[in-house]
Amino acid sequence: MKDTFVVTGGARLSGAVKVSGAKNSVLKLMSAALLAEGTTTLTNCPQIADVPYMADVLRGLGCDVELDGSTVHITTPAVVEYNADFDAVRQFRASVAVLGPLTARRLKARVALPGGDAIGSRPLDMHQSGLEKLGARTHIEHGCVVAEADELHGATIKLDFPSVGATENILTASVLAEGTTVLDNAAREPEIVDLCMMLTEMGAKIEGAGSNTITVEGVKSLRPTQHEVVGDRIVAGTWAYAAAMTQGDITVGGINPQHLHLVLEKLKLAGAQVETYPTGFRVVQNTPPVAVDYQTLPFPGFPTDLQPMAIALCTVSQGLSVITENIFESRFRFVDEMMRLGADASIDGHHVVIRGGRTLSSAPVWSSDIRAGAGLVLAGLVAEGETVVHDVYHIDRGYPDFPEQLNALGAHVERRSE
């Protein structure tokens, strides 16, 4: 059975919603629990499909994992397994985050090349290069990335691009390496800072989290901890765009608004009124939105994960918009589905030109990834008639109770099984 979302357009969303922990953080924190024997507890975890997927990966490595609502308990044995097989990791990309911790704990890791969203090529060359500079030998063998080492030692590593995944795997390997590791051109995302905070709570010595340069002084061992997952800025941003698209009024809690500074500034340019609070923000759109240009960049730039929402908003905004995708080359697959709904869009390489002000009309559409699926649901909120969104298992991987939360804000979204 495959589920669909049936979205009836025309509702103005209003009310309050609270986001839970970040998908892009919790899965990496779960992997980091491999670094210490004993029970690590994570709170504020999102109840999304990827969390039990990662739990299965960890169980396959010898951990005992208990999922209790928004709390996850991970008990890591003294000796973890090193082989994360295909069946466990094929469901989602974040499973590769076990590579660094396994290399650190076992000096050996064998991780099947992961699956996940169809948004473009995401090679592991920077992951491998970083581990090799720490003393590991790596190669691809029978569909797996393999890392082996006699010992790990500190190194100076400069990334060609501030890759989030490579930064995470190098960090989690270096915390148990002998000596000092300096990671230059590191990713600066809030989820990286969250990982560094948890590692520090476990006994790691890390400086520079949130900057371009992170310095790690290796330690002999780490201890388990209890940690609260940072709020999900991408889910929060999705609600912000839902308010702007439906000319609504939504207050979003559970998030540091500084993690969405540029996103909220773009919405102001589109005509929204934005108020920020210490743990949230409010977006009110009283007039039709106006066109705004976007280009996706690593944090603190505009996040690629909100690009589909930006395109959806531009489609119904007054004027011409140019959206430039600098991170994933296949993310514009979303545009083809928007054109089914009546969007006036043309793609030129890594640019898409949107001629806004169109009235969208319902059609069957297909989610190609988590964020594309959410963007199509938002488009359905302003389309005439009933829009049927297929392959919503993608959305379930990143948005807890998405239809229920939308309906609580005044939308009309129904989950149906085919």
Side-chain angles (χ1 to χ4, degrees), residues 26-112:
V26 66
L27 305 175
K28 320 306 174 59
L29 302 179
M30 292 175 70
S31 296
L34 290 165
L35 290 164
E37 180 183 358
T39 300
T40 290
T41 299
L42 300 175
T43 60
N44 195 38
C45 298
Q47 296 184 56
I48 55 175
D50 273 10
V51 169
Y53 288 157
M54 181 59 83
D56 285 343
V57 172
L58 297 180
R59 291 183 184 114
L61 296 170
C63 298
D64 179 57
V65 185
E66 179 187 351
L67 306 180
D68 182 14
S70 62
T71 300
V72 176
H73 304 280
I74 303 165
T75 301
T76 302
V79 179
V80 296
E81 300 293 331
Y82 65 83
N83 185 22
D85 64 24
F86 179 77
D87 286 341
V89 306
R90 66 185 176 87
Q91 301 279 5
F92 63 120
R93 175 71 184 185
S95 55
V96 78
V98 303
L99 179 62
L102 290 178
T103 305
R105 277 293 303 278
R106 286 296 308 270
L107 297 178
K108 186 173 185 179
R110 182 183 177 88
V111 182

Side-chain angles (χ1 to χ4, degrees), residues 153 197 256 300 356 383 416:
H153 53 75
M197 289 178 61
N256 181 348
R416 294 180 185 172

Side-chain angles (χ1 to χ4, degrees), residues 126-291:
M126 282 189 285
H127 302 242
Q128 293 178 254
S129 176
L131 293 178
E132 287 169 1
K133 289 181 179 178
L134 293 174
R137 303 175 296 277
T138 76
H139 62 278
I140 304 295
E141 177 182 83
H142 303 302
C144 298
V145 56
V146 178
E148 298 176 286
D150 299 320
E151 62 179 10
L152 295 181
H153 53 75
T156 297
I157 302 169
K158 183 172 183 177
L159 296 178
D160 294 334
F161 176 84
S163 161
V164 172
T167 297
E168 291 162 342
N169 267 324
I170 294 168
L171 272 173
T172 52
S174 65
V175 291
L176 294 180
E178 183 176 353
T180 302
T181 297
V182 178
L183 181 56
D184 193 20
N185 200 26
R188 300 169 57 189
E189 275 73 4
E191 295 79 18
I192 294 290
V193 176
D194 199 30
L195 175 61
C196 288
M197 289 178 61
M198 176 173 158
L199 291 172
T200 300
E201 292 161 3
M202 296 172 74
K205 297 180 179 179
I206 302 172
E207 295 181 357
S211 72
N212 290 324
T213 302
I214 300 176
T215 302
V216 181
E217 187 70 33
V219 297
K220 294 294 185 181
S221 63
L222 297 176
R223 57 183 177 271
T225 189
Q226 178 169 322
H227 181 81
E228 180 178 345
V229 183
V230 70
D232 197 316
R233 63 193 171 99
I234 304 303
V235 173
T238 302
W239 294 123
Y241 273 84
M245 286 193 66
T246 64
Q247 296 185 41
D249 179 351
I250 299 178
T251 299
V252 182
I255 186 69
N256 181 348
Q258 290 303 310
H259 295 169
L260 287 165
H261 176 74
L262 181 57
V263 172
L264 298 177
E265 289 300 311
K266 288 288 188 180
L267 288 176
K268 290 179 184 178
L269 292 176
Q273 300 173 33
V274 179
E275 299 177 59
T276 60
Y277 315 103
T279 58
F281 59 84
R282 180 185 180 190
V283 175
V284 183
Q285 186 84 38
N286 290 320
T287 59
V290 297

